[in-house]
Amino acid sequence: GPVETVIGSGLEGVREARVWHRVAGAKQPYLRDHAIGGKAVVPVVLALEWMISAAKRSLADPDRIEVRDLQVLKGIALTDYEGAGDLLEVVAKLDEDGKVKAEVRSPSGAVHYRAVIASHAERAPVWSEPGVGPWAKASGWIYGDFLFHGPAFQVVERVDGVGERGLVATLRGRRA
């Protein structure tokens, strides 16, 4: 549809951003490889990208961010993906302590994804490699057995090990 661009000062410190996304096969054909039961489903990484993009309008340092408390409340199966597309809204609100609470909503107002996005604080990372042992499947291949993703979303080359606290895997980007 038509796009309106507004250029001017005073856009920093936006308290609330609302952005609409139309998801349709003609615009995002790769989502055919992210389908369950023949229905395209919005990937959490796409919802996260939308929330981050909306949140950056309000953050003190939009180039250095961290995401906390990412929640998948209810996946979005696209009902008009092959037609006009499904319209989804992203709402990002700046709170008093400089964090943005972001959500992806359907037109009914139902919240499907939620996250807290903030300017990245300077501190040491808290992640450490989980203690892992070999995976029972020698090949390490998980598509078909555990994951439903089609070729455009198959980035796990192998699972190197699993443990109670997580797993270690070798991934590749979408472009080899």
Side-chain angles (χ1 to χ4, degrees):
V3 174
E4 179 179 329
T5 304
V6 179
I7 300 174
S9 64
L11 294 177
E12 52 285 325
V14 173
R15 303 287 311 163
E16 180 176 318
R18 291 178 177 267
V19 181
W20 289 89
H21 293 274
R22 183 169 304 276
V23 185
K27 289 175 59 178
Q28 295 103 344
Y30 54 87
L31 291 181
R32 288 185 183 95
D33 281 343
H34 199 267
I36 298 174
K39 285 224 182 258
V41 178
V42 174
V44 68
V45 295
L46 184 56
L48 181 58
E49 180 182 328
W50 293 339
M51 290 187 286
I52 289 170
S53 179
K56 283 185 170 188
R57 300 167 189 211
S58 303
L59 294 173
D61 187 353
D63 295 325
R64 294 176 44 86
I65 61 153
E66 64 183 22
V67 177
R68 297 180 184 170
D69 303 322
L70 174 62
Q71 298 175 357
V72 178
L73 303 170
K74 182 177 182 183
I76 303 172
L78 300 167
T79 58
D80 198 18
Y81 176 72
E82 296 298 345
D86 293 73
L87 195 59
L88 302 169
E89 181 183 27
V90 178
V91 178
K93 294 181 182 179
L94 182 66
D95 67 14
E96 304 77 43
D97 42 329
K99 295 181 183 121
V100 175
K101 301 211 172 33
E103 298 177 338
V104 177
R105 301 176 181 172
S106 59
S108 69
V111 178
H112 293 268
Y113 301 94
R114 180 180 288 147
V116 176
I117 302 164
S119 291
H120 179 67
E122 292 289 336
R123 66 174 194 256
V126 295
W127 183 85
S128 63
E129 187 174 307
V132 297
W135 194 31
K137 290 191 173 275
S139 69
W141 195 248
I142 61 172
Y143 295 102
D145 291 337
F146 300 103
L147 299 177
F148 65 89
H149 304 87
F153 286 86
Q154 292 181 0
V155 299
V156 179
E157 285 189 354
R158 70 179 180 272
V159 175
D160 301 306
V162 296
E164 287 185 24
R165 292 185 36 231
L167 63 84
V168 175
T170 301
L171 309 177
R172 63 176 160 72
R174 286 194 52 213
R175 291 182 199 97

